[in-house]
Amino acid sequence: MNTLIDFLNIDIKPLKSKETIAEAQDLFADYNYSHFPVTEENVFIGCISKEEAEIHPSHKTIGECRYEFDRFYVRSEMIWLDVLEEFAKNEANIVPVLNEQNKYIGYYELDDVIKFFHETPFLREEGGILVIKKEISGFSMSQVTQIVESNNAKLLGLFISKTETNFIEVTLKISESSLNEIIQTFRRYEYEIISEHQEDSYLKNLKERSDYLDKYLNI
């Protein structure tokens, strides 16, 4: 499987601060990017956005707009989830990549990072999706893993899908197994099951009993 750094792109050279806004505008016209990285004497100084390039006079140099640059980037050793977060926080479809010495080495495209995500076991491997919820004070990653593995299943991945003041919601990808036993174990440990599952016999039994009680009361 590829690593994220395999998707590092160097096809387009970064803009230089001494170049004109007109040159930036031409680049944005040719490529559907939200930003372009800018360097000065081979040092990364920020990103100029498409919107900023459109509102400035074309004869100005890019460096004259440096105080309006968006200064976001990722490191070459960062994990893909942190990289994806930078895309989201900055509403960008391109992110500059710097090495440990702060040298600009290339950029990631959003489509490539999403492609990498699709190749991870979380999406590629067959399995079931389970969404659980619990008070933050009582939530434990190690406990979640223990519950899954104690039911002879493997945890293929998880991510925090929602947080509230006192609660946390987590989405799990679990290897093919009987989800019903896993669901019941989570309930015993006071986790709320957010996702719906056809094989959830606990809810099925509750519904059957409720229907019976309603029928009995209406006799």
Side-chain angles (χ1 to χ4, degrees), residues 14-192:
L15 289 163
K16 293 181 173 58
S17 61
K18 63 183 179 181
E19 293 180 289
T20 65
I21 290 293
E23 291 174 282
Q25 292 170 344
D26 289 342
L27 205 55
F28 279 115
D30 292 337
Y31 298 94
N32 186 30
Y33 287 143
S34 59
H35 299 76
F36 271 110
V38 181
T39 59
E40 187 171 84
E41 298 179 356
N42 296 320
V43 176
F44 172 74
I45 59 173
C47 295
I48 184 171
S49 69
K50 183 177 182 180
E51 290 76 14
E52 288 297 331
E54 289 174 346
I55 64 175
H56 286 289
S58 59
H59 66 272
K60 290 181 68 173
T61 65
I62 296 172
E64 291 180 86
C65 309
R66 68 175 67 232
Y67 297 109
E68 298 167 31
F69 287 171
D70 295 315
R71 288 173 175 79
F72 62 88
Y73 59 87
V74 298
R75 301 285 185 185
S76 55
E77 67 273 14
M78 283 173 65
I79 63 172
W80 68 269
L81 271 175
D82 291 336
V83 172
L84 196 59
E85 183 181 2
E86 285 301 313
F87 278 106
K89 285 195 307 185
N90 296 284
E91 298 181 356
N93 58 10
I94 182 175
V95 171
V97 183
L98 310 185
N99 64 14
E100 293 179 353
Q101 290 74 41
N102 293 324
K103 182 181 177 181
Y104 174 85
I105 59 173
Y107 60 91
Y108 289 137
E109 294 183 15
L110 179 59
D111 287 347
D112 286 337
V113 176
I114 292 175
K115 179 182 178 182
F116 177 80
F117 176 46
H118 287 169
E119 292 179 359
T120 62
F122 191 89
L123 289 184
R124 183 167 47 85
E125 299 291 336
E126 292 187 2
I129 297 293
L130 186 62
V131 184
I132 60 176
K133 179 178 179 181
K134 194 172 186 181
E135 286 189 15
I136 294 176
S137 59
F139 178 80
S140 166
M141 289 284 192
S142 59
Q143 187 180 68
V144 168
T145 304
Q146 180 186 3
I147 289 172
V148 172
E149 293 181 347
S150 67
N151 285 282
N152 300 316
K154 291 186 180 298
L155 186 61
L156 299 175
L158 65 83
F159 66 92
I160 297 172
S161 45
K162 186 178 180 181
T163 56
E164 298 173 352
T165 304
N166 298 316
F167 290 90
I168 186 170
E169 188 175 298
V170 180
T171 299
L172 313 176
K173 179 71 175 286
I174 299 170
S175 64
E176 288 294 345
S177 181
S178 174
L179 281 180
N180 187 55
E181 285 78 6
I182 297 173
I183 288 170
Q184 307 318 319
T185 307
F186 272 117
R187 286 202 174 101
R188 286 197 296 273
Y189 283 88
E190 300 181 342
Y191 287 84
E192 181 182 351

